[in-house]
Amino acid sequence: MRVSRSIAPALTGVLVLFSVPDATAQHSAGERRSGWYVGGGVGVNWSSDINQRGSNRDHLCYPSYACFDEKPRPEQSGYRWAYDLQTAVGAPFELSTGYQLDRLRLELAFGQRMNGIEQVFRSVSDHAERPLDRRRGGTVTSDSEYWIDNLTVRTLAVSAYYDFRGDAGRFAPYVGIGLGPAFAEIRDLHYEQHYGDPGNDRVYDPPLSHYTSRQDADMADTVLGGHLHAGADFGVSDRLALGVKLTYTVLGDIEYTGTYQEHPLHAVDPNFSNHTTFTGARYWTLLFTVRYALGG
């Protein structure tokens, strides 16, 4: 967000600088047909809900599950869990450079999208995805805390555009398609689980505090991103164009393997880990753009 706020004044400055009429310009915006250009844009973006799936190979039976009362206590095959991630509207920016040849453009663009996230818990099961039975008549309580701060996606994309501009028109609608790497970062993923027994004086061996688990992590992955573009430019001069662009972005699965800061299995494996996958990331991005043609 702070980066996009700093880009907006810079783009405004570029607009003021290049809006000054070019004394040598004798043609309409539609007549500059080839050459290099630079551009940028700021706007808003929104995303579909993202699916979060996680798993580990934890073999312990926890105090809130029915297996805790079995003797001997059985081992588990591991656990799987699921959340829905609801994303807030973000403030993206984009910087680009490209080459135009008649109605075709080839462009390299760097963009950033940052969206706050709300986690909504869906389910937990054993590793074979069988539902876990709760203890009947048990007095043990299970308190959990979980959140994610935001998802930041930085993209580097090569896009090809086709302009539908007429021979002398200033208004130029266009469509495009792009592909490139996306550098995705999940900031401040937090999970914490505590157990207590407020209704019983029973002494547990090991104590209920032994089953506490906690994870704090920043997760990062590089995936493939695909982009579909549609927009329109309006020629302010033969060099400068202002416009609006709508982009639909599809990201590959974001995956991460991480460790816990606290976990009961640390006694036997200090590096005990879990695996998390984020799927279904789909973005709409609306940018207000400026483009300036270079050269003579």
Side-chain angles (χ1 to χ4, degrees):
M1 302 279 187
R2 285 176 290 184
V3 176
S4 62
R5 293 193 194 105
S6 66
I7 293 297
L11 291 177
T12 302
V14 171
L15 173 60
V16 171
L17 177 63
F18 293 123
S19 293
V20 178
D22 188 340
T24 64
Q26 301 295 327
H27 306 288
S28 71
E31 293 185 82
R32 184 174 290 274
R33 286 303 199 179
S34 65
W36 293 96
Y37 65 86
V38 294
V42 295
V44 296
N45 80 287
W46 58 99
S47 171
S48 62
D49 286 355
I50 300 171
N51 299 316
Q52 178 188 350
R53 300 289 184 271
S55 65
N56 63 22
R57 285 293 185 177
D58 187 351
H59 64 264
L60 297 178
C61 174
Y62 284 82
S64 56
Y65 297 135
C67 54
F68 197 76
D69 292 326
E70 297 182 30
K71 296 182 180 179
R73 192 173 297 155
E75 289 192 349
Q76 298 294 309
S77 59
Y79 294 92
R80 294 184 183 274
W81 53 89
Y83 296 86
D84 286 335
L85 307 185
Q86 299 176 354
T87 59
V89 174
F93 73 88
E94 183 176 273
L95 301 173
S96 61
T97 183
Y99 189 85
Q100 177 154 358
L101 181 61
D102 196 22
R103 296 190 179 189
L104 297 177
R105 285 189 284 131
L106 188 64
E107 182 176 285
L108 176 66
F110 170 80
Q112 176 175 290
R113 302 163 178 85
M114 181 185 295
N115 300 83
I117 289 180
E118 179 181 356
Q119 271 186 312
V120 179
F121 176 75
R122 289 189 60 186
S123 64
V124 63
S125 64
D126 67 13
H127 207 272
E129 299 188 349
R130 293 183 295 258
L132 297 169
D133 295 328
R134 309 293 292 184
R135 289 181 69 184
R136 295 183 178 180
T139 55
V140 172
T141 59
S142 173
D143 297 319
S144 60
E145 297 178 353
Y146 49 87
W147 64 75
I148 292 176
D149 185 10
N150 65 67
L151 168 62
T152 300
V153 178
R154 299 177 180 91
T155 56
L156 188 64
V158 175
S159 295
Y161 294 91
Y162 181 82
D163 295 339
F164 294 98
R165 171 175 47 188
D167 289 339
R170 290 179 177 269
F171 181 70
Y174 60 82
V175 294
I177 187 170
L179 191 67
F183 310 96
E185 185 175 8
I186 305 289
R187 297 278 185 88
D188 192 19
L189 183 147
H190 176 86
Y191 173 81
E192 193 165 351
Q193 186 86 28
H194 298 274
Y195 296 89
D197 193 350
N200 198 323
D201 294 330
R202 173 183 171 184
V203 176
Y204 291 85
D205 184 20
L208 293 179
S209 59
H210 168 78
Y211 298 96
T212 297
S213 59
R214 179 174 61 88
Q215 182 179 27
D216 291 289
D218 290 335
M219 303 180 173
D221 192 15
T222 300
V223 300
L224 188 63
H227 315 274
L228 295 175
H229 312 285
D233 286 334
F234 181 80
V236 178
S237 71
D238 70 331
R239 290 182 181 273
L240 182 68
L242 303 180
V244 61
K245 179 171 72 171
L246 181 65
T247 297
Y248 179 67
T249 299
V250 177
L251 298 183
D253 293 352
I254 303 166
E255 298 188 76
Y256 178 82
T257 298
T259 58
Y260 296 86
Q261 279 66 43
E262 188 174 1
H263 197 279
L265 287 187
H266 278 172
V268 294
D269 182 5
N271 296 315
F272 182 71
S273 64
N274 62 57
H275 188 77
T276 303
T277 303
F278 301 88
T279 62
R282 306 288 187 267
Y283 281 99
W284 288 98
T285 304
L286 180 66
L287 293 178
F288 299 95
T289 62
V290 57
R291 183 155 54 93
Y292 182 76
L294 304 174

